[in-house]
Amino acid sequence: MSIEATTISNCVDWALGHGLAFKNSDESSRHCPFTLSPATITREDYADLQEASLLLSRAVCALTQDNEYLLNVMAKMVKTDPLFDALFARYQTLIDEGSVKATPVLIMRSDFLSSILVEVNAIAAGMAPFGQLMSQFHQYMATQFPELSKNKEFSGDWVPNQALDNLAEQIQSVCHIIKNKHQEEADRTPTFLMVIQDHEDNVFDQHLLEYALQRLGIRTIRKTLKELAILMETKAHDRLWISEYLIDMVYLRCGYCFSDYQTEDDANNMNDILLDVRLKLEQHDIAMSATLAQQFVSSKYMQLHLFHLSRDQWKRWGITESEYDRLFHHLIEMREVNKKSIKNLNENNCDEWVLKNQGEGGGHCIFGLKILEQLKTLSSEQYPQWVLMRKIQKNTSNSQVSAVNQGKFVQIEKLNSEIGFFTFYCSLINTKSSLCGYLVRSKSDMDFEGGIHSGKGFLDSLLYKA
């Protein structure tokens, strides 16, 4: 695809003007890397992935309510991971005391590469706004520059994507229901609290959701865990107050990193006061995403555990045998790390596996011979912190794909696309999980690690194959 410099400039302006950007430390911004034409998918494959995402959401919902099972499964892993151990202790307190008052809201993103499940994210599952915006951007490209729409890259029907709008509308409904439970609050504006990290660079994705909620009549406020530790108050009917604001729904965009619970005074340990914020939030009459249970169920350790369960065992969470078969088609082999792992791996087959730790976000995977090097450094107590996943064989595009990164035109060789499907479930408004939309992130087959933030990945959208 041949693109003029003025067209690239217009595309960058569109991205920055619509919030398709990251925030720099000096308060400036940079556009997200993006492709200039959409990826393609067959209608059958798209429908298949939608169904798998809904089945996963349904299973996760059921498993988060299965407290006894979750306690037993997670007990082995949490002892070896300081963050999970600290959060698990607070989860156990909630269960033992029966003090949970919050209504769970499952906002989940299920990520697939070549139709194989990479992972599920049930805490801080972001970028739904970016997903919708990229669909709009590619349609803008086809309309504004009609010479491009004649290219084969734009041949086909657009895959609808209202991820942001659908997510905002469902959050709005939940906020109103929580507020309306209390008659004395009839004249109050429903309020949504987003819990954020210090010095967050992905603020535009967050703000886009907030702006959508504000247009729907929802007040939004942003606080860090440190701020909540100081400002949280409990008043009548187990209601949560932050300063003068009565909160209806809490949405975590943090809480999955060790550093989220650290203070400047102690850079080596987590702060119990900050950890207790997670416990206290669930002891209030609010809607909550993500709960501690949701965070545990979407961990890689639980993904490993679920892979090895039989059809009959999945029935515990309402998944039938035929549904299991359709879902298992999207799963890939996972193995626990143990003393036999080094013996079972060798220099010849290391490239067939990926070693993952329990961390969320990018930068937590090890490839090739570095797997053996890492395994040799682990003690037996550290084994449960890691899982082995068979490397997914990527379906790559043979043609070059045009993209923009740091304001410059680039060509991507052998592109492969990871598709994340957003699902939403809250018992207050849903009888079953619903689909919100999708996010597409594409990158070269040569890049194993690194995503949108690092510039290795590119935001993308979908077109049905003609």
Side-chain angles (χ1 to χ4, degrees):
M1 184 189 297
S2 176
I3 305 289
E4 295 182 0
T6 54
T7 302
I8 298 300
S9 180
N10 285 333
C11 291
V12 171
D13 290 346
W14 193 100
L16 291 171
H18 287 78
L20 208 60
F22 294 127
K23 188 175 183 179
N24 297 322
S25 58
D26 62 359
E27 298 298 319
S28 64
S29 62
R30 66 189 189 278
H31 73 83
C32 299
F34 55 82
T35 64
L36 290 170
S37 59
T40 59
I41 191 170
T42 67
R43 293 178 185 272
E44 293 76 16
D45 285 346
Y46 186 77
D48 200 23
L49 293 176
Q50 283 184 311
E51 183 194 30
S53 300
L54 288 170
L55 288 174
L56 285 165
S57 178
R58 199 170 91 209
V60 168
C61 284
L63 188 46
T64 58
Q65 302 300 313
D66 197 344
N67 295 319
E68 182 180 357
Y69 189 92
L70 190 53
L71 285 167
N72 289 335
V73 171
M74 294 301 296
K76 175 184 175 183
M77 189 279 285
V78 298
K79 294 175 183 177
T80 71
D81 187 294
L83 173 58
F84 275 82
D85 191 36
L87 294 176
F88 188 75
R90 285 150 179 86
Y91 171 66
Q92 195 148 21
T93 296
L94 289 170
I95 302 305
D96 292 344
E97 294 178 351
S99 57
V100 175
K101 301 290 192 303
T103 300
V105 178
L106 181 61
I107 300 172
M108 192 169 91
R109 194 185 72 226
S110 302
D111 294 331
F112 298 88
L113 178 62
S114 301
S115 293
I116 300 298
L117 180 69
V118 178
E119 62 181 357
V120 296
N121 293 278
I123 179 168
M127 293 197 176
F130 283 178
Q132 179 171 322
L133 274 177
M134 275 306 299
S135 294
Q136 294 172 359
F137 169 71
H138 280 151
Q139 291 176 57
Y140 156 82
M141 289 282 294
T143 302
Q144 188 69 16
F145 309 105
E147 66 275 12
L148 297 181
S149 64
K150 299 174 184 177
N151 294 338
K152 63 179 181 179
E153 292 92 339
F154 288 88
S155 178
D157 296 326
W158 298 103
V159 180
N161 191 5
Q162 298 300 118
L164 169 59
D165 293 343
N166 290 333
L167 181 58
E169 288 172 5
Q170 299 204 64
I171 290 174
Q172 177 206 30
S173 298
V174 169
C175 287
H176 276 286
I177 290 175
I178 294 292
K179 190 203 84 165
N180 292 337
K181 285 171 62 178
H182 305 276
Q183 295 300 317
E184 66 275 15
E185 302 176 18
D187 297 329
R188 180 181 61 81
T189 301
T191 303
F192 170 87
L193 167 65
M194 185 179 291
V195 188
I196 58 173
Q197 292 175 324
D198 289 318
H199 313 299
E200 172 67 70
D201 70 342
N202 195 18
V203 294
F204 295 103
D205 175 65
Q206 298 172 4
H207 285 317
L208 287 165
L209 175 58
E210 292 176 272
Y211 300 154
L213 289 170
Q214 291 164 15
R215 290 192 292 271
L216 295 173
I218 303 297
R219 177 191 290 116
T220 66
I221 61 175
R222 299 164 60 84
K223 299 293 179 186
T224 65
L225 287 170
K226 296 182 183 70
E227 290 172 318
L228 291 185
I230 297 169
L231 298 173
M232 284 177 64
E233 289 187 88
T234 307
K235 295 190 178 181
H237 310 298
D238 297 308
R239 298 294 274 135
L240 173 65
W241 287 77
I242 306 296
S243 300
E244 71 270 29
Y245 300 115
L246 183 52
I247 306 301
D248 298 296
M249 179 169 169
V250 175
Y251 174 48
L252 293 180
R253 288 297 296 260
C254 68
Y256 52 86
C257 295
F258 188 96
S259 58
D260 289 337
Y261 303 95
Q262 292 177 297
T263 63
E264 294 178 359
D265 299 331
D266 187 354
N268 297 317
N269 298 293
M270 289 181 292
N271 184 283
D272 282 331
I273 295 174
L274 299 183
L275 288 161
D276 285 342
V277 169
R278 294 291 303 275
L279 179 146
K280 292 176 181 177
L281 284 172
E282 296 197 38
Q283 293 174 326
H284 289 88
D285 185 8
I286 55 173
M288 180 80 194
S289 178
T291 64
L292 290 166
Q294 288 169 350
Q295 185 170 352
F296 296 141
V297 171
S298 62
S299 67
K300 296 177 183 69
Y301 182 81
M302 184 58 72
Q303 188 177 342
L304 165 69
H305 175 79
L306 293 175
F307 173 81
H308 290 281
L309 297 184
S310 66
R311 289 180 180 82
D312 285 342
Q313 289 171 306
W314 276 77
K315 289 178 182 177
R316 182 184 181 106
W317 306 295
I319 303 298
T320 67
E321 289 190 7
S322 61
E323 288 172 334
Y324 169 88
D325 289 339
R326 296 198 298 275
L327 179 58
F328 200 80
H329 169 71
H330 296 285
L331 304 184
I332 198 164
E333 183 182 0
M334 298 184 72
R335 294 180 183 176
E336 68 176 5
V337 173
N338 54 42
K339 62 183 180 181
K340 297 180 181 179
S341 296
I342 296 177
K343 189 180 299 184
N344 293 334
L345 290 178
N346 55 59
E347 294 182 3
N348 294 324
N349 67 5
C350 269
D351 283 337
E352 299 174 8
W353 295 90
V354 180
L355 181 64
K356 295 185 173 186
N357 64 26
Q358 297 298 325
E360 297 291 340
H364 298 284
C365 297
I366 297 175
F367 302 87
L369 294 178
K370 291 183 179 179
I371 295 177
L372 288 175
E373 294 174 12
Q374 180 65 31
L375 290 176
K376 290 174 183 177
T377 69
L378 301 179
S379 66
S380 58
E381 290 77 18
Q382 293 174 309
Y383 288 156
Q385 296 178 21
W386 298 83
V387 299
L388 281 163
M389 174 185 278
R390 189 173 289 280
K391 188 186 289 185
I392 298 169
Q393 298 302 310
K394 303 170 185 176
N395 295 329
T396 58
S397 169
N398 292 322
S399 59
Q400 286 186 332
V401 176
S402 301
V404 178
N405 190 6
Q406 297 181 351
K408 297 179 180 179
F409 177 80
V410 296
Q411 295 274 17
I412 313 170
E413 301 283 352
K414 295 185 177 180
L415 187 78
N416 62 84
S417 299
E418 185 173 306
I419 307 173
F421 286 87
F422 294 95
T423 51
F424 187 100
Y425 177 79
C426 177
S427 61
L428 298 175
I429 65 168
N430 306 107
T431 56
K432 59 182 180 180
S433 298
S434 63
L435 282 162
C436 293
Y438 63 86
L439 168 74
V440 185
R441 292 164 295 176
S442 298
K443 62 182 178 181
S444 168
D445 189 42
M446 304 303 293
D447 292 319
F448 295 111
E449 271 287 64
I452 306 299
H453 281 76
S454 67
K456 296 288 188 181
F458 297 79
L459 290 174
D460 209 337
S461 74
L462 289 177
L463 198 71
Y464 287 125
K465 286 185 178 179

